Amino acid sequence: MTDLAQSFLAWTEAHPGWALLTLYLAAAIDAVFIIGVFVPAGLVLFSMGALVALDVLPLWTTLIVAAAGGVSGDALSFWVGRRYGRRLLDHPWSPRQKELIDRAQLFFNRHGGKGIFLARFLGPLRAILPTVAGASGMRWSLFLAADAVAAMGWALAFVMPGVVFGASLGLAAEVAAALRAEAHRAGHALALRDAVVRPARRQVEHVAGLQHPFLLGGEVAQDLQRDVLAQLR
């Protein structure tokens, strides 16, 4: 893990409220009419999921904040549609924006209320359909009910993969630390062998060699030397 990532984690642990505020704003702006098309909220939710796996943020708080941000942005877009109606949708937008609005209108006409749920998972339509629904006269109660369920499902769909990714990073870090510890212990064992065992073996060989011609006889001395050296291996 880089020093920059470690510094970010340390800052987030010390200021989790700011991380959650960032999450809320990203989810809310992602749902604002037209503007949300350019906001990569999915990446923010994924990153927050990784922080959940690293025990920096609580899971359910993260999910609720993300869903609340999505509902807030959708509600604002829905209100804009109710307030300005067809005048807003018929505004001379750029060809790309006009195409998105037309697609959202067709999608809403085909799917009605369930389109609110489905559009939450369909990229650019997510920032357009609430305004189209508001301009089409959809009831607030029906919109909010469908949108709340969709926003929580959306939060789960983007946060949980980040949790899995963060957990894999944590596991990899633990394995690397364990391997470093084993290598460290192996290095100490080799150093101990070099410092103690090998000098002892040389001493035994020397003593056994001296005893060979004078004390024990050739064959007995060789047997003694083999037995002692075998115990030192």
Side-chain angles (χ1 to χ4, degrees):
M1 187 177 296
T2 65
D3 293 339
L4 180 61
Q6 290 177 335
S7 298
F8 174 73
L9 286 177
W11 181 88
T12 306
E13 288 178 331
H15 308 90
W18 285 105
L20 293 174
L21 178 61
T22 301
L23 173 62
Y24 175 85
L25 292 176
I29 297 173
D30 175 78
V32 174
F33 181 66
I34 297 295
I35 297 174
V37 174
F38 307 100
V39 178
L43 179 60
V44 176
L45 269 67
F46 184 89
S47 301
M48 295 300 169
L51 294 178
V52 168
L54 298 175
D55 294 326
V56 177
L57 296 175
L59 174 60
W60 283 106
T61 301
T62 301
L63 291 172
I64 291 172
V65 168
V71 171
S72 298
D74 285 340
L76 175 61
S77 294
F78 184 85
W79 176 84
V80 168
R82 290 287 292 265
R83 174 68 176 80
Y84 296 101
R86 295 301 314 179
R87 288 181 299 160
L88 179 65
L89 302 182
D90 294 335
H91 180 79
W93 300 100
S94 70
R96 170 62 175 163
Q97 294 166 342
K98 183 61 176 175
E99 179 187 359
L100 286 175
I101 293 172
D102 291 341
R103 285 174 55 194
Q105 184 70 68
L106 290 173
F107 190 84
F108 182 77
N109 292 341
R110 179 180 303 173
H111 298 287
K114 70 178 181 181
I116 300 299
F117 180 89
L118 296 174
R120 171 52 60 179
F121 302 92
L122 295 178
L125 289 184
R126 182 168 57 247
I128 307 296
L129 202 72
T131 301
V132 171
S136 300
M138 187 178 187
R139 296 196 312 274
W140 268 104
S141 58
L142 179 59
F143 170 79
L144 290 176
D147 193 61
V149 176
M152 181 55 72
W154 173 73
L156 284 166
F158 281 89
V159 171
M160 295 311 296
V163 172
V164 175
F165 176 75
S168 67
L169 288 180
L171 179 61
E174 291 177 4
V175 171
L179 290 176
R180 285 196 298 269
E182 289 296 330
H184 189 65
R185 283 194 289 269
H188 275 296
L190 291 175
L192 179 63
R193 177 185 175 184
D194 291 338
V196 177
V197 176
R198 287 182 178 176
R201 289 181 61 185
R202 287 195 295 269
Q203 185 65 25
V204 169
E205 291 171 355
H206 176 69
V207 171
L210 291 176
Q211 289 177 335
H212 169 259
F214 300 111
L215 299 178
L216 301 176
E219 293 183 0
V220 176
Q222 290 175 3
D223 291 341
L224 173 63
Q225 182 178 1
R226 282 195 298 269
D227 292 341
V228 174
L229 291 177
Q231 294 178 3
L232 289 174
R233 288 192 179 96

